[in-house]
Amino acid sequence: MPSRQFDFILCGGGSAASVVANRLVLEFGFSVLMLERGPKNTNGIMAMPAGYMKYLAKDTFLEMHHTVPQPQLGGRGPIVPQARALGGGSAVNAMVYMRGQKDDYDGWAAGLGNGSEWSYADVLPHFKALESNARFNDAYHGIGGPLRVSEPGHICDTTEDFLRAAQGLGVPYNPDFNGARQNGVGIMQHTYAQWGKRKRRSDAKKAFLDPLEGDRRLTIVTGAQVDRILIEKGRAVGVAYTSDGAAHEARAEREVLVGAGTYNSAKLLMLSGIGPAQHLRDFQIPVFADLPVGENLQDHHEVPIIATTKGKSGYFGEDSGWPMVRNGLQYLLFNSGPVTTTGIEACLFYDPDGGDRPTIQLYCAPIVYQDRDVAKAKPTWGVTFTSCLLRPKARGTVRLRSADPSAQPLVNCNFFGDPDDLRLTLASMRFARRLLETEPFLTKIREEILPGPSVTDDAGLAAFAGQTVKTNYHPVGTARMGRDDDPTAVVDARLRVKGIEGLRVIDCSIMPAIVSGNTNAPAMAIGSKAAEMIAADHGA
């Protein structure tokens, strides 16, 4: 195990942390120790664009958080998976590359009250510098970065029907959700591209850590659980961690950087004496900073409308038996076919209330798709429309379950904790039904199976929503960024933990409000900006 001191210690090896490590080492010449609890690598199946579906419901590379029972969901506690591997969410996710809306970041900047810091104009250069886009090279996109971004290598018939049906309802076609506007229907870009002979996942490990292999300034220890941050005289000086069953300590000459993910970053801060004072005292944890760590939890969540088709369609059955063998051979021999797509190829952004700023991201899954804990329909040929709420008003919490660092935190997701969240979801479910009744779907759909044509009133739809709502895997916000005088903030605009020197949070935990889209790309942009600020503060 490392015995020398490092300039920086990174707690976590996810998307944001990988970018921070890359820039601090490669551009600014610092030494970095990265501690990641998961394995160094996933496997060859996860590298394939379609491979993630094989592990989505397994704990191989995921930590399954069973959230606390929710009264508004009839006592359900939805399962929320989080990554457990080097590369974090980028190593296990569905690879969608989505940045959110300009208004999201401008809202952050307005709340900080410090001019343009964290505005869209401020973060856009980070997005552009990180990406190598296979389709676009313009004011919104770059082609020289290490993160490869492209469109699916295969588009199925159901996706094409979705694009045309949405346009039939007046939704404009949008070729670039990360460009001038988000509104519309179109194909999503993904973080996979040509690596060698085949399309493969472009995760944060491959893009930002692998190029540094052999560089003595970066030390990565996997299978390492950070137990607490060492704080002396109000300053973070290192970490205590467990690896291979043994206890270790490491010291940071400059700063400790926390990037363990929205749940575990909050847990680590609280275990280290940074959090709500009374909550920490309940576990006999000495309090170093009384801060609202674990508050402000936000997550995108979605509810399905599911229908079967009259004939074969989409991707049902393509991952088993002879079709799986055929598709695998097509991928290996010709780099084409269903393995070159995640299966979720298109979505549409809109506002059920008719506003210009989308409040819903409606996905098209070309299959009967449900989470394992709410499965109610027999898998067959069909289509699933999931209405994902982009900016939920409800806020949840993360709390300690115990003072044991190996124990999962206690997550209260609070889905539908605000009535307007449910109202928008129900409105979008009705819009999804209109899609099923629009050509070319109209003549191809056999029947709606969930919630079923008999469920038409708000009470029935609300009950179904409570039974089936699931995460879209985007928790953020538990170490909120804010002004120095903001009592709800944990970190300042430079991501420094209030009241503790030498400590920052550098992942999606810092978001004051969730972005209106998938969070992996924003996590990397946060990491890039964090590295730049850290380097500047240390004279680089």
Side-chain angles (χ1 to χ4, degrees):
M1 292 298 156
S3 58
R4 64 188 179 96
Q5 278 200 329
F6 299 85
D7 290 321
F8 298 96
I9 295 177
L10 264 167
C11 306
S15 295
S18 297
V19 178
V20 170
N22 177 280
R23 295 201 67 188
L24 288 182
V25 171
L26 196 61
E27 294 182 47
F28 303 113
F30 293 115
S31 63
V32 174
L33 170 64
M34 173 180 281
L35 300 171
E36 163 59 42
R37 63 185 177 140
K40 179 179 180 181
N41 298 297
T42 53
N43 57 32
I45 292 177
M46 288 294 284
M48 301 176 184
Y52 76 102
M53 290 297 292
K54 289 287 187 181
Y55 292 92
L56 195 57
K58 301 178 181 179
D59 59 5
T60 311
F61 306 114
L62 296 169
E63 179 181 58
M64 301 296 185
H65 292 267
H66 294 256
T67 58
V68 300
Q70 303 290 304
Q72 72 276 19
L73 305 184
R76 277 186 63 221
I79 295 174
V80 184
Q82 287 288 276
R84 187 174 57 201
L86 192 62
S90 70
V92 302
N93 65 1
M95 292 161 271
V96 172
Y97 182 79
M98 200 75 69
R99 299 173 180 173
Q101 301 166 4
K102 177 180 183 296
D103 289 344
D104 298 330
Y105 302 97
D106 289 348
W108 294 3
L112 291 168
N114 61 353
S116 63
E117 190 84 59
W118 289 102
S119 68
Y120 181 70
D122 185 46
V123 298
L124 179 59
H126 293 279
F127 282 115
K128 291 181 64 177
L130 294 177
E131 77 170 333
S132 175
N133 200 295
R135 173 72 63 181
F136 304 111
N137 181 23
D138 55 25
Y140 299 97
H141 296 282
I143 59 173
L147 181 71
R148 302 190 186 185
V149 177
S150 71
E151 292 170 359
H154 183 268
I155 302 294
C156 75
D157 56 338
T158 305
T159 296
E160 297 282 8
D161 291 342
F162 175 73
L163 297 174
R164 292 183 289 168
Q167 291 176 80
L169 288 178
V171 179
Y173 183 76
N174 187 349
D176 181 14
F177 293 126
N178 299 307
R181 62 183 174 88
Q182 191 186 58
N183 307 58
V185 64
I187 301 296
M188 297 183 291
Q189 290 211 305
H190 294 72
T191 51
Y192 54 77
Q194 196 75 18
W195 291 93
K197 295 181 179 180
R198 301 180 188 91
K199 281 188 177 290
R200 295 171 63 85
R201 178 188 290 268
S202 177
D203 60 26
K205 174 183 177 294
K206 192 170 186 66
F208 303 106
L209 299 181
D210 286 358
L212 292 174
E213 191 165 356
D215 192 319
R216 295 187 69 253
R217 295 171 297 182
L218 176 62
T219 301
I220 300 175
V221 182
T222 53
Q225 173 185 281
V226 182
D227 297 330
R228 73 182 189 282
I229 300 158
L230 304 177
I231 299 174
E232 298 175 359
K233 298 179 181 179
R235 180 177 184 85
V237 297
V239 298
Y241 68 98
T242 302
S243 180
D244 294 327
H248 304 271
E249 288 190 0
R251 309 284 286 193
E253 292 187 356
R254 296 178 183 268
E255 291 189 28
V256 175
L257 311 174
V258 178
T262 292
Y263 299 152
N264 288 308
S265 287
K267 183 183 87 167
L268 176 58
L269 290 172
M270 288 188 282
L271 287 173
S272 306
I274 302 165
Q278 187 54 56
H279 179 60
L280 302 187
R281 293 187 185 110
D282 289 343
F283 295 98
Q284 290 77 52
I285 297 174
V287 179
F288 291 106
D290 183 5
L291 294 172
V293 173
E295 300 290 335
N296 194 49
L297 174 64
Q298 301 154 66
D299 191 4
H300 292 139
H301 47 77
E302 59 187 32
V303 174
I305 293 287
I306 306 176
T308 59
T309 53
K310 295 175 181 176
K312 292 184 177 181
S313 66
Y315 292 118
F316 172 68
E318 296 295 318
D319 61 346
S320 60
W322 165 244
M324 179 181 69
V325 175
R326 179 195 63 215
N327 294 332
L329 288 172
Q330 183 177 356
Y331 172 71
L332 294 173
L333 296 174
F334 305 110
N335 191 36
S336 63
V339 179
T340 63
T341 175
T342 61
I344 313 298
E345 297 148 354
C347 75
L348 68 84
F349 286 94
Y350 80 113
D351 178 23
D353 291 339
D356 292 333
R357 187 182 181 191
T359 55
I360 295 287
Q361 180 179 10
L362 196 151
Y363 295 93
C364 172
I367 195 170
V368 172
Y369 170 70
Q370 305 159 90
D371 251 20
R372 64 177 184 174
D373 64 329
V374 296
K376 296 177 179 294
K378 178 182 178 182
T380 185
W381 290 286
V383 63
T384 302
F385 298 143
T386 59
S387 294
C388 172
L389 186 64
L390 291 175
R391 294 182 300 282
K393 293 180 179 178
R395 298 292 184 265
T397 59
V398 172
R399 293 285 182 261
L400 293 177
R401 191 181 300 267
S402 80
D404 179 359
S406 64
Q408 288 186 352
L410 203 60
V411 178
N412 179 1
C413 62
N414 200 26
F415 295 164
F416 298 142
D418 187 288
D420 201 52
D421 294 350
L422 179 61
R423 180 189 68 80
L424 282 168
T425 298
L426 299 189
S428 188
M429 292 169 69
R430 296 185 189 280
F431 179 80
R433 282 177 159 170
R434 289 180 59 198
L435 283 171
L436 294 176
E437 297 167 353
T438 303
E439 292 292 4
F441 279 124
L442 179 61
T443 54
K444 296 183 179 181
I445 296 299
R446 181 180 300 279
E447 63 176 338
E448 178 190 311
I449 55 175
L450 285 176
S454 64
V455 182
T456 58
D457 63 315
D458 282 354
L461 290 174
F464 173 77
Q467 294 163 6
T468 58
V469 64
K470 61 176 284 293
T471 178
N472 202 218
Y473 316 105
H474 302 152
V476 307
T478 54
R480 186 184 189 277
M481 175 172 59
R483 301 184 314 273
D484 291 342
D485 61 350
D486 183 352
T488 69
V490 175
V491 302
D492 65 12
R494 299 190 74 78
L495 310 188
R496 297 171 297 201
V497 175
K498 296 166 66 174
I500 303 290
E501 295 183 6
L503 181 62
R504 299 191 208 219
V505 182
I506 52 86
D507 61 17
C508 287
S509 306
I510 64 94
M511 288 188 182
I514 195 168
V515 293
S516 305
N518 310 66
T519 52
N520 188 48
M524 295 182 186
I526 288 170
S528 178
K529 183 169 172 61
E532 205 165 81
M533 292 190 298
I534 292 164
D537 288 350
H538 290 273

